[in-house]
Amino acid sequence: MDRIMECVPNFSEGRDLQKIDKIVASFRSKQGVKLLDYSNDEDHNRLVVTVVGEPEPLRDAVLEAIGVAVELIDLNHHQGQHPRMGAVDVVPFIPIRNVTMEEAVALSKEVGEEVAKRYNLPVFLYEKSASAPHRENLAAVRKGEFEGMAEKIKQPEWHPDFGPAERHPTAGTVAIGARMPLVAYNINLNTPSLEIAHDIAKKIRFIGGGLRYCKAMGVELKDRGITQVSINMTDYTRTALYRAFELVRVEARRYGVSIVGSEIIGLVPMEALIDTASYYLGLENFSMEQVLEARM
């Protein structure tokens, strides 16, 4: 592949393995497309797929997967800890090699227009592709979720960029756009109190006066009897992972709560982990050029 674009579509299904397999199959054995990773979470009831490819084959595979999800997922019967407004909740395109952000934006708009035409699905453009400033933040677009979108979409300021101004009866709506690489990073707490997790999330996220490139929310992990601060680091080069980890630790201390572990969902740039390792090891003047794999 000479020109590489990444796509990380999120689907609102994390429990039915047969449905998950059918969605993921859209990315398998496709010329010019490589499935890198997929992970499903039962508590979140969500599937996150990471795929790369040449722009045109990638576009076709994403459109196929969206069609499968629209056919299989009915949000009227969906429950999970993660906010969602669509069977295909969000479809971000990320430029990786020999493609520009402008090309990623153009591809997202092309896919959005085709999704609306093929599947009669309302499409909101977000992040770098947003048609207005109030649509850039995914959280603002998704606010109200599937249930609230029936009325929200009728408001002039929330008219979809493509497709009907009416929520799809089973598949809801979808956000499609272009953005920087994002790190999905979750920190687990040794408390079953969702209120505590929510409170910590409010304090560390940017909108609450916390870290600049950090979005966060509290999530309950019922099977384990604990809670989680679920985080999206929207620019790891500007706000490092270790800062989020340490700030959660500081805020948790006031409740007598400690961190019992953390996890990364999907793939993560090596630089993000090296930066964190360098901090905790106290390395001086360390750079990516000293990493063996980066020099090969």
Side-chain angles (χ1 to χ4, degrees), residues 65-130:
I66 291 174
V68 174
V70 169
E71 179 182 349
L72 295 179
I73 299 173
D74 184 348
L75 284 189
N76 294 289
H77 305 292
H78 179 278
Q79 290 184 327
Q81 294 289 322
H82 201 290
R84 80 288 181 269
M85 65 179 186
V88 190
D89 196 55
V90 59
V91 182
F93 289 93
I94 304 105
I96 299 297
R97 188 175 73 193
N98 294 333
V99 288
T100 65
M101 181 61 76
E102 289 72 21
E103 289 174 300
V105 168
L107 184 62
S108 71
K109 292 180 178 179
E110 182 181 348
V111 170
E113 188 172 12
E114 187 63 25
V115 163
K117 185 188 304 182
R118 285 193 196 182
Y119 309 120
N120 201 35
L121 199 62
V123 176
F124 293 103
L125 297 173
Y126 83 111
E127 281 281 356
K128 302 293 186 182
S129 307

Short mmCIF file of all heavy atoms in Angstrom, two decimals, residues 65-130:
data_model
loop_
_atom_site.label_atom_id
_atom_site.label_comp_id
_atom_site.label_asym_id
_atom_site.label_seq_id
_atom_site.Cartn_x
_atom_site.Cartn_y
_atom_site.Cartn_z
N ALA A 65 -19.63 -2.82 5.62
CA ALA A 65 -19.80 -3.10 7.05
C ALA A 65 -20.97 -2.31 7.64
O ALA A 65 -21.74 -2.82 8.47
CB ALA A 65 -18.52 -2.78 7.81
N ILE A 66 -21.12 -1.07 7.21
CA ILE A 66 -22.23 -0.24 7.69
C ILE A 66 -23.56 -0.87 7.28
O ILE A 66 -24.50 -0.93 8.07
CB ILE A 66 -22.11 1.19 7.15
CG1 ILE A 66 -20.91 1.90 7.81
CG2 ILE A 66 -23.40 1.98 7.40
CD1 ILE A 66 -20.61 3.27 7.24
N GLY A 67 -23.63 -1.36 6.06
CA GLY A 67 -24.85 -2.00 5.60
C GLY A 67 -25.21 -3.23 6.42
O GLY A 67 -26.38 -3.45 6.76
N VAL A 68 -24.20 -4.02 6.77
CA VAL A 68 -24.43 -5.21 7.60
C VAL A 68 -24.95 -4.81 8.98
O VAL A 68 -25.90 -5.39 9.50
CB VAL A 68 -23.13 -6.04 7.74
CG1 VAL A 68 -23.33 -7.19 8.72
CG2 VAL A 68 -22.69 -6.58 6.38
N ALA A 69 -24.32 -3.79 9.58
CA ALA A 69 -24.72 -3.34 10.91
C ALA A 69 -26.15 -2.79 10.91
O ALA A 69 -26.92 -3.05 11.84
CB ALA A 69 -23.74 -2.28 11.42
N VAL A 70 -26.49 -2.02 9.89
CA VAL A 70 -27.85 -1.47 9.80
C VAL A 70 -28.88 -2.59 9.72
O VAL A 70 -29.96 -2.51 10.31
CB VAL A 70 -27.96 -0.53 8.57
CG1 VAL A 70 -29.42 -0.16 8.31
CG2 VAL A 70 -27.14 0.73 8.80
N GLU A 71 -28.52 -3.65 9.02
CA GLU A 71 -29.44 -4.78 8.88
C GLU A 71 -29.57 -5.59 10.18
O GLU A 71 -30.66 -6.05 10.52
CB GLU A 71 -28.94 -5.71 7.76
CG GLU A 71 -29.81 -6.93 7.53
CD GLU A 71 -29.26 -7.84 6.46
OE1 GLU A 71 -28.32 -7.43 5.74
OE2 GLU A 71 -29.76 -8.97 6.34
N LEU A 72 -28.47 -5.73 10.93
CA LEU A 72 -28.46 -6.65 12.07
C LEU A 72 -28.81 -6.01 13.42
O LEU A 72 -29.29 -6.70 14.32
CB LEU A 72 -27.07 -7.29 12.19
CG LEU A 72 -26.61 -8.21 11.07
CD1 LEU A 72 -25.21 -8.72 11.36
CD2 LEU A 72 -27.58 -9.38 10.89
N ILE A 73 -28.53 -4.72 13.59
CA ILE A 73 -28.63 -4.10 14.92
C ILE A 73 -29.90 -3.25 15.04
O ILE A 73 -30.14 -2.37 14.21
CB ILE A 73 -27.39 -3.23 15.20
CG1 ILE A 73 -26.12 -4.09 15.19
CG2 ILE A 73 -27.53 -2.53 16.55
CD1 ILE A 73 -24.82 -3.29 15.28
N ASP A 74 -30.66 -3.52 16.08
CA ASP A 74 -31.85 -2.75 16.39
C ASP A 74 -31.64 -2.06 17.73
O ASP A 74 -31.63 -2.70 18.78
CB ASP A 74 -33.08 -3.67 16.46
CG ASP A 74 -34.37 -2.91 16.69
OD1 ASP A 74 -34.32 -1.70 17.01
OD2 ASP A 74 -35.45 -3.52 16.57
N LEU A 75 -31.46 -0.74 17.70
CA LEU A 75 -31.15 -0.01 18.93
C LEU A 75 -32.33 0.08 19.88
O LEU A 75 -32.15 0.47 21.04
CB LEU A 75 -30.64 1.39 18.59
CG LEU A 75 -29.20 1.46 18.09
CD1 LEU A 75 -28.74 2.91 18.02
CD2 LEU A 75 -28.25 0.68 18.97
N ASN A 76 -33.51 -0.27 19.44
CA ASN A 76 -34.65 -0.32 20.34
C ASN A 76 -34.47 -1.38 21.41
O ASN A 76 -35.14 -1.35 22.45
CB ASN A 76 -35.94 -0.58 19.56
CG ASN A 76 -36.30 0.56 18.62
OD1 ASN A 76 -36.71 1.62 19.06
ND2 ASN A 76 -36.12 0.33 17.33
N HIS A 77 -33.57 -2.34 21.15
CA HIS A 77 -33.33 -3.43 22.09
C HIS A 77 -31.89 -3.43 22.59
O HIS A 77 -31.39 -4.44 23.08
CB HIS A 77 -33.63 -4.78 21.42
CG HIS A 77 -35.02 -4.86 20.85
ND1 HIS A 77 -36.15 -4.87 21.63
CD2 HIS A 77 -35.44 -4.88 19.56
CE1 HIS A 77 -37.22 -4.93 20.85
NE2 HIS A 77 -36.82 -4.93 19.59
N HIS A 78 -31.22 -2.28 22.46
CA HIS A 78 -29.81 -2.19 22.83
C HIS A 78 -29.64 -1.47 24.16
O HIS A 78 -30.20 -0.40 24.39
CB HIS A 78 -29.04 -1.41 21.76
CG HIS A 78 -27.58 -1.23 22.04
ND1 HIS A 78 -27.10 -0.22 22.87
CD2 HIS A 78 -26.50 -1.92 21.62
CE1 HIS A 78 -25.79 -0.30 22.93
NE2 HIS A 78 -25.38 -1.31 22.19
N GLN A 79 -28.85 -2.08 25.05
CA GLN A 79 -28.48 -1.45 26.32
C GLN A 79 -27.00 -1.66 26.57
O GLN A 79 -26.48 -2.74 26.31
CB GLN A 79 -29.29 -2.05 27.48
CG GLN A 79 -30.77 -1.67 27.48
CD GLN A 79 -31.49 -2.19 28.70
OE1 GLN A 79 -31.16 -3.25 29.22
NE2 GLN A 79 -32.49 -1.46 29.16
N GLY A 80 -26.34 -0.63 27.06
CA GLY A 80 -24.92 -0.72 27.35
C GLY A 80 -24.45 0.52 28.08
O GLY A 80 -25.15 1.52 28.15
N GLN A 81 -23.24 0.43 28.63
CA GLN A 81 -22.70 1.54 29.42
C GLN A 81 -22.21 2.70 28.55
O GLN A 81 -22.11 3.82 29.02
CB GLN A 81 -21.54 1.03 30.29
CG GLN A 81 -21.96 0.05 31.36
CD GLN A 81 -22.75 0.73 32.46
OE1 GLN A 81 -22.47 1.85 32.84
NE2 GLN A 81 -23.77 0.06 32.97
N HIS A 82 -21.91 2.42 27.28
CA HIS A 82 -21.35 3.47 26.42
C HIS A 82 -22.47 4.23 25.71
O HIS A 82 -23.41 3.63 25.20
CB HIS A 82 -20.41 2.84 25.39
CG HIS A 82 -19.43 3.81 24.81
ND1 HIS A 82 -19.81 4.81 23.95
CD2 HIS A 82 -18.09 3.94 24.97
CE1 HIS A 82 -18.74 5.52 23.60
NE2 HIS A 82 -17.69 5.01 24.20
N PRO A 83 -22.37 5.56 25.67
CA PRO A 83 -23.36 6.34 24.90
C PRO A 83 -23.38 5.90 23.44
O PRO A 83 -22.34 5.57 22.87
CB PRO A 83 -22.85 7.78 25.03
CG PRO A 83 -21.95 7.78 26.20
CD PRO A 83 -21.34 6.42 26.27
N ARG A 84 -24.55 5.92 22.83
CA ARG A 84 -24.67 5.53 21.42
C ARG A 84 -25.88 6.19 20.81
O ARG A 84 -26.90 6.39 21.45
CB ARG A 84 -24.70 4.01 21.25
CG ARG A 84 -26.05 3.36 21.51
CD ARG A 84 -26.45 3.33 22.99
NE ARG A 84 -27.72 2.69 23.21
CZ ARG A 84 -28.89 3.32 23.24
NH1 ARG A 84 -28.96 4.62 23.02
NH2 ARG A 84 -30.00 2.64 23.47
N MET A 85 -25.77 6.54 19.54
CA MET A 85 -26.90 7.12 18.83
C MET A 85 -27.21 6.34 17.57
O MET A 85 -28.19 6.62 16.88
CB MET A 85 -26.62 8.58 18.48
CG MET A 85 -25.48 8.80 17.52
SD MET A 85 -25.27 10.56 17.15
CE MET A 85 -23.99 10.47 15.88
N GLY A 86 -26.35 5.35 17.24
CA GLY A 86 -26.56 4.60 16.02
C GLY A 86 -26.05 3.19 16.08
O GLY A 86 -25.18 2.86 16.89
N ALA A 87 -26.60 2.33 15.22
CA ALA A 87 -26.10 0.96 15.08
C ALA A 87 -24.62 1.03 14.71
O ALA A 87 -23.78 0.29 15.23
CB ALA A 87 -26.90 0.21 14.02
N VAL A 88 -24.31 1.91 13.77
CA VAL A 88 -22.93 2.32 13.50
C VAL A 88 -22.82 3.69 14.15
O VAL A 88 -23.36 4.67 13.64
CB VAL A 88 -22.64 2.41 12.00
CG1 VAL A 88 -21.15 2.58 11.76
CG2 VAL A 88 -23.17 1.20 11.27
N ASP A 89 -22.13 3.78 15.27
CA ASP A 89 -22.19 5.00 16.07
C ASP A 89 -21.28 6.10 15.53
O ASP A 89 -21.69 7.25 15.43
CB ASP A 89 -21.82 4.67 17.52
CG ASP A 89 -22.22 5.77 18.48
OD1 ASP A 89 -23.41 6.14 18.49
OD2 ASP A 89 -21.35 6.26 19.21
N VAL A 90 -20.06 5.73 15.19
CA VAL A 90 -19.11 6.73 14.72
C VAL A 90 -18.12 6.07 13.76
O VAL A 90 -17.70 4.93 13.97
CB VAL A 90 -18.38 7.41 15.89
CG1 VAL A 90 -17.62 6.40 16.75
CG2 VAL A 90 -17.43 8.51 15.41
N VAL A 91 -17.76 6.80 12.70
CA VAL A 91 -16.83 6.28 11.67
C VAL A 91 -15.77 7.34 11.40
O VAL A 91 -15.97 8.25 10.57
CB VAL A 91 -17.58 5.92 10.37
CG1 VAL A 91 -16.60 5.33 9.35
CG2 VAL A 91 -18.71 4.95 10.65
N PRO A 92 -14.63 7.27 12.09
CA PRO A 92 -13.56 8.25 11.85
C PRO A 92 -12.53 7.75 10.83
O PRO A 92 -12.18 6.57 10.83
CB PRO A 92 -12.91 8.37 13.23
CG PRO A 92 -13.09 7.02 13.85
CD PRO A 92 -14.37 6.44 13.28
N PHE A 93 -12.06 8.65 9.98
CA PHE A 93 -10.98 8.36 9.05
C PHE A 93 -9.75 9.13 9.49
O PHE A 93 -9.82 10.32 9.82
CB PHE A 93 -11.38 8.76 7.63
CG PHE A 93 -12.42 7.87 7.02
CD1 PHE A 93 -13.77 8.18 7.12
CD2 PHE A 93 -12.06 6.69 6.38
CE1 PHE A 93 -14.75 7.36 6.58
CE2 PHE A 93 -13.03 5.85 5.83
CZ PHE A 93 -14.38 6.18 5.93
N ILE A 94 -8.59 8.44 9.51
CA ILE A 94 -7.36 9.02 10.02
C ILE A 94 -6.25 8.86 8.97
O ILE A 94 -5.96 7.74 8.54
CB ILE A 94 -6.92 8.31 11.32
CG1 ILE A 94 -8.03 8.38 12.37
CG2 ILE A 94 -5.63 8.91 11.86
CD1 ILE A 94 -8.79 7.10 12.57
N PRO A 95 -5.64 9.96 8.51
CA PRO A 95 -4.55 9.84 7.54
C PRO A 95 -3.30 9.24 8.19
O PRO A 95 -2.90 9.66 9.28
CB PRO A 95 -4.31 11.29 7.10
CG PRO A 95 -4.81 12.12 8.25
CD PRO A 95 -5.94 11.35 8.87
N ILE A 96 -2.70 8.25 7.53
CA ILE A 96 -1.53 7.57 8.09
C ILE A 96 -0.27 7.80 7.24
O ILE A 96 0.75 8.25 7.73
CB ILE A 96 -1.79 6.05 8.23
CG1 ILE A 96 -2.97 5.80 9.18
CG2 ILE A 96 -0.53 5.34 8.75
CD1 ILE A 96 -2.76 6.26 10.60
N ARG A 97 -0.34 7.48 5.94
CA ARG A 97 0.86 7.62 5.11
C ARG A 97 0.50 8.05 3.69
O ARG A 97 -0.36 7.45 3.05
CB ARG A 97 1.63 6.29 5.06
CG ARG A 97 3.00 6.41 4.39
CD ARG A 97 3.78 5.11 4.47
NE ARG A 97 3.23 4.10 3.57
CZ ARG A 97 3.56 2.82 3.61
NH1 ARG A 97 4.39 2.38 4.54
NH2 ARG A 97 3.04 1.96 2.75
N ASN A 98 1.18 9.09 3.25
CA ASN A 98 1.00 9.62 1.88
C ASN A 98 -0.43 10.05 1.59
O ASN A 98 -0.86 10.05 0.43
CB ASN A 98 1.47 8.59 0.84
CG ASN A 98 2.96 8.34 0.90
OD1 ASN A 98 3.73 9.21 1.31
ND2 ASN A 98 3.38 7.15 0.50
N VAL A 99 -1.17 10.39 2.63
CA VAL A 99 -2.49 11.00 2.47
C VAL A 99 -2.59 12.17 3.45
O VAL A 99 -1.95 12.16 4.50
CB VAL A 99 -3.64 10.01 2.72
CG1 VAL A 99 -3.77 9.00 1.59
CG2 VAL A 99 -3.47 9.29 4.05
N THR A 100 -3.37 13.14 3.09
CA THR A 100 -3.48 14.34 3.92
C THR A 100 -4.78 14.33 4.72
O THR A 100 -5.70 13.56 4.43
CB THR A 100 -3.45 15.61 3.05
OG1 THR A 100 -4.62 15.61 2.21
CG2 THR A 100 -2.20 15.65 2.19
N MET A 101 -4.85 15.23 5.69
CA MET A 101 -6.09 15.38 6.44
C MET A 101 -7.20 15.85 5.52
O MET A 101 -8.36 15.45 5.67
CB MET A 101 -5.88 16.36 7.60
CG MET A 101 -7.12 16.57 8.45
SD MET A 101 -7.72 15.06 9.26
CE MET A 101 -6.48 14.91 10.58
N GLU A 102 -6.85 16.69 4.54
CA GLU A 102 -7.85 17.16 3.59
C GLU A 102 -8.45 15.99 2.80
O GLU A 102 -9.66 15.97 2.53
CB GLU A 102 -7.24 18.18 2.62
CG GLU A 102 -6.90 19.53 3.26
CD GLU A 102 -5.70 19.48 4.18
OE1 GLU A 102 -4.87 18.55 4.06
OE2 GLU A 102 -5.60 20.38 5.05
N GLU A 103 -7.61 15.02 2.44
CA GLU A 103 -8.11 13.85 1.73
C GLU A 103 -8.98 12.98 2.63
O GLU A 103 -9.97 12.38 2.19
CB GLU A 103 -6.93 13.03 1.19
CG GLU A 103 -6.22 13.69 0.03
CD GLU A 103 -4.99 12.92 -0.40
OE1 GLU A 103 -4.07 12.75 0.43
OE2 GLU A 103 -4.93 12.50 -1.57
N ALA A 104 -8.63 12.92 3.92
CA ALA A 104 -9.45 12.18 4.88
C ALA A 104 -10.82 12.83 5.02
O ALA A 104 -11.85 12.15 5.10
CB ALA A 104 -8.75 12.10 6.23
N VAL A 105 -10.84 14.16 5.06
CA VAL A 105 -12.11 14.88 5.15
C VAL A 105 -12.96 14.60 3.90
O VAL A 105 -14.16 14.33 3.99
CB VAL A 105 -11.86 16.40 5.29
CG1 VAL A 105 -13.16 17.18 5.09
CG2 VAL A 105 -11.26 16.71 6.65
N ALA A 106 -12.33 14.65 2.73
CA ALA A 106 -13.05 14.40 1.48
C ALA A 106 -13.63 12.99 1.46
O ALA A 106 -14.77 12.77 1.03
CB ALA A 106 -12.12 14.62 0.29
N LEU A 107 -12.84 12.01 1.93
CA LEU A 107 -13.31 10.63 1.95
C LEU A 107 -14.49 10.47 2.91
O LEU A 107 -15.46 9.76 2.62
CB LEU A 107 -12.17 9.69 2.35
CG LEU A 107 -12.49 8.19 2.32
CD1 LEU A 107 -12.87 7.75 0.91
CD2 LEU A 107 -11.29 7.39 2.83
N SER A 108 -14.40 11.12 4.06
CA SER A 108 -15.49 11.02 5.04
C SER A 108 -16.79 11.57 4.47
O SER A 108 -17.88 11.01 4.70
CB SER A 108 -15.12 11.76 6.33
OG SER A 108 -15.11 13.17 6.15
N LYS A 109 -16.70 12.65 3.72
CA LYS A 109 -17.90 13.24 3.12
C LYS A 109 -18.45 12.34 2.01
O LYS A 109 -19.67 12.21 1.87
CB LYS A 109 -17.58 14.63 2.58
CG LYS A 109 -17.27 15.65 3.67
CD LYS A 109 -16.95 17.02 3.10
CE LYS A 109 -16.69 18.03 4.22
NZ LYS A 109 -16.36 19.38 3.70
N GLU A 110 -17.55 11.73 1.25
CA GLU A 110 -17.99 10.81 0.21
C GLU A 110 -18.72 9.62 0.81
O GLU A 110 -19.78 9.21 0.32
CB GLU A 110 -16.76 10.34 -0.59
CG GLU A 110 -17.10 9.41 -1.74
CD GLU A 110 -15.87 8.94 -2.48
OE1 GLU A 110 -14.78 9.51 -2.26
OE2 GLU A 110 -16.00 7.99 -3.29
N VAL A 111 -18.16 9.06 1.88
CA VAL A 111 -18.79 7.93 2.56
C VAL A 111 -20.12 8.35 3.18
O VAL A 111 -21.13 7.63 3.08
CB VAL A 111 -17.85 7.34 3.64
CG1 VAL A 111 -18.59 6.32 4.52
CG2 VAL A 111 -16.64 6.69 2.99
N GLY A 112 -20.15 9.52 3.82
CA GLY A 112 -21.38 10.01 4.43
C GLY A 112 -22.51 10.16 3.43
O GLY A 112 -23.65 9.75 3.69
N GLU A 113 -22.20 10.72 2.27
CA GLU A 113 -23.22 10.91 1.24
C GLU A 113 -23.74 9.57 0.73
O GLU A 113 -24.95 9.38 0.53
CB GLU A 113 -22.64 11.74 0.08
CG GLU A 113 -23.65 12.14 -0.95
CD GLU A 113 -23.08 13.12 -1.97
OE1 GLU A 113 -21.85 13.30 -2.00
OE2 GLU A 113 -23.89 13.70 -2.73
N GLU A 114 -22.84 8.61 0.57
CA GLU A 114 -23.23 7.30 0.06
C GLU A 114 -24.02 6.50 1.10
O GLU A 114 -24.97 5.78 0.76
CB GLU A 114 -21.99 6.51 -0.37
CG GLU A 114 -22.28 5.20 -1.08
CD GLU A 114 -23.02 5.38 -2.39
OE1 GLU A 114 -22.91 6.47 -3.00
OE2 GLU A 114 -23.72 4.43 -2.81
N VAL A 115 -23.66 6.63 2.38
CA VAL A 115 -24.39 5.96 3.45
C VAL A 115 -25.84 6.44 3.48
O VAL A 115 -26.78 5.64 3.63
CB VAL A 115 -23.71 6.23 4.82
CG1 VAL A 115 -24.66 5.91 5.97
CG2 VAL A 115 -22.44 5.40 4.95
N ALA A 116 -26.03 7.73 3.36
CA ALA A 116 -27.38 8.29 3.36
C ALA A 116 -28.18 7.78 2.17
O ALA A 116 -29.37 7.45 2.30
CB ALA A 116 -27.30 9.81 3.34
N LYS A 117 -27.52 7.68 1.02
CA LYS A 117 -28.21 7.25 -0.19
C LYS A 117 -28.56 5.76 -0.15
O LYS A 117 -29.68 5.36 -0.46
CB LYS A 117 -27.31 7.54 -1.41
CG LYS A 117 -27.97 7.23 -2.75
CD LYS A 117 -26.97 7.35 -3.89
CE LYS A 117 -26.30 8.71 -3.92
NZ LYS A 117 -25.36 8.83 -5.07
N ARG A 118 -27.61 4.93 0.27
CA ARG A 118 -27.83 3.48 0.26
C ARG A 118 -28.76 3.00 1.36
O ARG A 118 -29.60 2.12 1.14
CB ARG A 118 -26.49 2.74 0.42
CG ARG A 118 -25.61 2.73 -0.76
CD ARG A 118 -24.50 1.70 -0.56
NE ARG A 118 -23.41 1.90 -1.49
CZ ARG A 118 -22.33 1.12 -1.56
NH1 ARG A 118 -22.22 0.09 -0.73
NH2 ARG A 118 -21.37 1.36 -2.43
N TYR A 119 -28.58 3.55 2.56
CA TYR A 119 -29.25 2.98 3.74
C TYR A 119 -30.28 3.91 4.37
O TYR A 119 -30.84 3.57 5.41
CB TYR A 119 -28.19 2.59 4.77
CG TYR A 119 -27.09 1.74 4.20
CD1 TYR A 119 -25.75 2.17 4.24
CD2 TYR A 119 -27.36 0.52 3.59
CE1 TYR A 119 -24.73 1.39 3.69
CE2 TYR A 119 -26.35 -0.26 3.03
CZ TYR A 119 -25.03 0.20 3.09
OH TYR A 119 -24.03 -0.57 2.56
N ASN A 120 -30.53 5.06 3.72
CA ASN A 120 -31.50 6.02 4.25
C ASN A 120 -31.19 6.38 5.69
O ASN A 120 -32.09 6.50 6.54
CB ASN A 120 -32.92 5.46 4.14
CG ASN A 120 -33.98 6.54 4.17
OD1 ASN A 120 -33.77 7.64 3.64
ND2 ASN A 120 -35.11 6.26 4.79
N LEU A 121 -29.91 6.56 5.97
CA LEU A 121 -29.43 6.80 7.33
C LEU A 121 -28.99 8.26 7.48
O LEU A 121 -28.21 8.76 6.67
CB LEU A 121 -28.24 5.88 7.62
CG LEU A 121 -27.84 5.61 9.07
CD1 LEU A 121 -28.96 4.92 9.82
CD2 LEU A 121 -26.57 4.75 9.10
N PRO A 122 -29.49 8.99 8.48
CA PRO A 122 -29.04 10.37 8.70
C PRO A 122 -27.57 10.39 9.12
O PRO A 122 -27.15 9.60 9.97
CB PRO A 122 -29.93 10.87 9.84
CG PRO A 122 -31.09 9.92 9.89
CD PRO A 122 -30.54 8.59 9.44
N VAL A 123 -26.79 11.29 8.53
CA VAL A 123 -25.35 11.36 8.77
C VAL A 123 -24.96 12.75 9.28
O VAL A 123 -25.33 13.77 8.68
CB VAL A 123 -24.56 11.06 7.48
CG1 VAL A 123 -23.06 11.24 7.70
CG2 VAL A 123 -24.87 9.66 6.97
N PHE A 124 -24.21 12.77 10.39
CA PHE A 124 -23.63 14.01 10.90
C PHE A 124 -22.13 13.98 10.64
O PHE A 124 -21.46 12.99 10.96
CB PHE A 124 -23.87 14.15 12.41
CG PHE A 124 -25.30 14.34 12.79
CD1 PHE A 124 -26.03 13.30 13.32
CD2 PHE A 124 -25.92 15.57 12.62
CE1 PHE A 124 -27.36 13.47 13.68
CE2 PHE A 124 -27.25 15.76 12.97
CZ PHE A 124 -27.98 14.69 13.50
N LEU A 125 -21.58 15.03 10.07
CA LEU A 125 -20.14 15.16 9.91
C LEU A 125 -19.57 15.79 11.18
O LEU A 125 -20.13 16.75 11.70
CB LEU A 125 -19.82 16.03 8.69
CG LEU A 125 -20.28 15.47 7.34
CD1 LEU A 125 -20.05 16.50 6.24
CD2 LEU A 125 -19.56 14.16 7.01
N TYR A 126 -18.44 15.25 11.68
CA TYR A 126 -17.89 15.76 12.94
C TYR A 126 -16.37 15.92 12.84
O TYR A 126 -15.76 15.60 11.81
CB TYR A 126 -18.28 14.83 14.10
CG TYR A 126 -17.39 13.61 14.27
CD1 TYR A 126 -16.55 13.50 15.38
CD2 TYR A 126 -17.37 12.58 13.33
CE1 TYR A 126 -15.74 12.39 15.54
CE2 TYR A 126 -16.57 11.48 13.49
CZ TYR A 126 -15.74 11.38 14.60
OH TYR A 126 -14.92 10.29 14.76
N GLU A 127 -15.77 16.43 13.92
CA GLU A 127 -14.33 16.71 13.99
C GLU A 127 -13.89 17.57 12.80
O GLU A 127 -14.52 18.56 12.50
CB GLU A 127 -13.52 15.41 14.10
CG GLU A 127 -13.52 14.82 15.51
CD GLU A 127 -12.53 15.51 16.45
OE1 GLU A 127 -11.77 16.40 16.01
OE2 GLU A 127 -12.53 15.15 17.64
N LYS A 128 -12.83 17.18 12.10
CA LYS A 128 -12.28 18.00 11.02
C LYS A 128 -13.25 18.16 9.85
O LYS A 128 -13.13 19.09 9.04
CB LYS A 128 -10.98 17.39 10.50
CG LYS A 128 -9.89 17.21 11.55
CD LYS A 128 -9.36 18.52 12.06
CE LYS A 128 -8.18 18.30 13.00
NZ LYS A 128 -7.66 19.55 13.57
N SER A 129 -14.24 17.26 9.76
CA SER A 129 -15.20 17.29 8.66
C SER A 129 -16.44 18.10 8.99
O SER A 129 -17.31 18.29 8.12
CB SER A 129 -15.63 15.86 8.31
OG SER A 129 -14.52 15.03 8.05
N ALA A 130 -16.57 18.58 10.21
CA ALA A 130 -17.78 19.23 10.68
C ALA A 130 -18.18 20.41 9.80
O ALA A 130 -17.34 21.19 9.35
CB ALA A 130 -17.62 19.68 12.13
#
